Amino acid sequence: AQSVAQPEDQVNVAEGNPLTVKCTYSVSGNPYLFWYVQYPNRGLQFLLKYITGDNLVKGSYGFEAEFNKSQTSFHLKKPSALVSDSALYFCAVIRNSNYQLIWGAGTKLIIKP
Amino acid sequence: DAGVTQSPTHLIKTRGQQVTLRCSPKSGHDTVSWYQQALGQGPQFIFQYYEEEERQRGNFPDRFSGHQFPNYSSELNVNALLLGDSALYLCASSWGTGAGNTIYFGEGSWLTVV
């Protein structure tokens, strides 16, 4: 069965430090991977996706993610965190023959000034 | 360029009632999906509509039904509401049904069942 794991419920980072939000997946076939961000009481905003090609994907707001096929991971990163990055981050995967996005449980990112 | 718009933003219903939620996709998009997000959890896929037909369905009972209109807008209907149906209902749109297509979400409709 397809699944996505975000092993950390919460990540705390000081402003200006690099941040990493972890995501691992389990899916047969070729996965398409996505990161979305959700601010309080709001919908989900698209950050970036991996379809094929370069394993390092750059997205919105300075975020990037690295696809690692051998480790089945797709960790979200940012070199220098901002307080405004504080939000809930979701990783999602879809198999290339399936319509359904499978979501992780989310990771709450807290950036402290 | 309007994004995905949903209505109403908030509503309260009592158990056993029926509710209809509405969604207009992002301009240029023809595919609409609906998700349920319970508090503190990730979204759960309900179903997807393309060319006015339900193409895929998640693990939701028949009480959940939908419709897509010729202008690509969509409705989600939930009958015989249960307390457990209280959640944020998210509409998402994309161009086509390709798995790699980016899906854009609306702000959601908060449903409270009392």
Side-chain angles (χ1 to χ4, degrees):
Chain A
Q2 299 177 96
S3 65
V4 176
Q6 293 182 241
E8 302 153 316
D9 291 336
Q10 182 169 309
V11 171
N12 298 296
V13 178
E15 186 177 27
N17 283 359
L19 69 87
T20 298
V21 182
K22 296 179 180 177
C23 172
T24 59
Y25 65 91
S26 174
V27 63
S28 58
N30 296 320
Y32 296 162
L33 295 150
F34 300 79
W35 276 102
Y36 284 80
V37 59
Q38 187 174 36
Y39 296 97
N41 301 318
R42 303 293 296 275
L44 293 150
Q45 294 181 28
F46 170 76
L47 283 178
L48 49 80
K49 67 180 179 182
Y50 172 81
I51 304 300
T52 186
D54 192 349
N55 289 343
L56 184 64
V57 179
K58 294 188 183 296
S60 306
Y61 313 121
F63 283 93
E64 58 187 29
E66 186 168 11
F67 172 64
N68 188 316
K69 188 173 184 178
S70 62
Q71 297 185 5
T72 61
S73 68
F74 189 56
H75 301 332
L76 181 70
K77 301 180 180 183
K78 187 173 182 180
S80 179
L82 300 172
V83 172
S84 57
D85 293 329
S86 298
L88 191 55
Y89 289 79
F90 288 97
C91 179
V93 64
I94 188 169
R95 202 171 57 193
N96 62 2
S97 59
N98 191 299
Y99 299 114
Q100 302 183 30
L101 271 173
I102 307 299
W103 297 81
T107 298
K108 186 176 183 180
L109 177 64
I110 297 176
I111 309 300
K112 298 182 178 179
Chain B
D1 177 21
V4 180
T5 58
Q6 294 185 241
S7 64
T9 54
H10 295 81
L11 68 167
I12 300 173
K13 292 284 188 177
T14 56
R15 279 178 296 175
Q17 283 190 316
Q18 178 264 348
V19 67
T20 297
L21 307 178
R22 296 176 176 83
C23 172
S24 292
K26 183 177 170 66
S27 179
H29 287 183
D30 57 6
T31 304
V32 173
S33 301
W34 287 92
Y35 291 80
Q36 181 195 65
Q37 186 179 19
L39 204 59
Q41 298 182 22
Q44 299 292 317
F45 175 78
I46 302 176
F47 41 54
Q48 182 191 67
Y49 277 86
Y50 174 67
E51 292 186 335
E52 301 180 50
E53 291 187 6
E54 183 181 295
R55 297 289 174 158
Q56 274 279 334
R57 188 178 183 92
N59 188 26
F60 279 81
D62 292 344
R63 298 186 298 108
F64 289 77
S65 63
H67 189 76
Q68 185 179 35
F69 299 94
N71 66 353
Y72 308 122
S73 67
S74 177
E75 288 183 351
L76 164 65
N77 300 292
V78 186
N79 295 321
L81 284 166
L82 304 173
L83 295 179
D85 295 332
S86 296
L88 177 65
Y89 287 86
L90 294 164
C91 174
S93 74
S94 62
W95 181 84
T97 59
N101 295 346
T102 300
I103 298 174
Y104 293 89
F105 286 81
E107 295 293 318
S109 293
W110 284 99
L111 171 64
T112 301
V113 182
V114 297

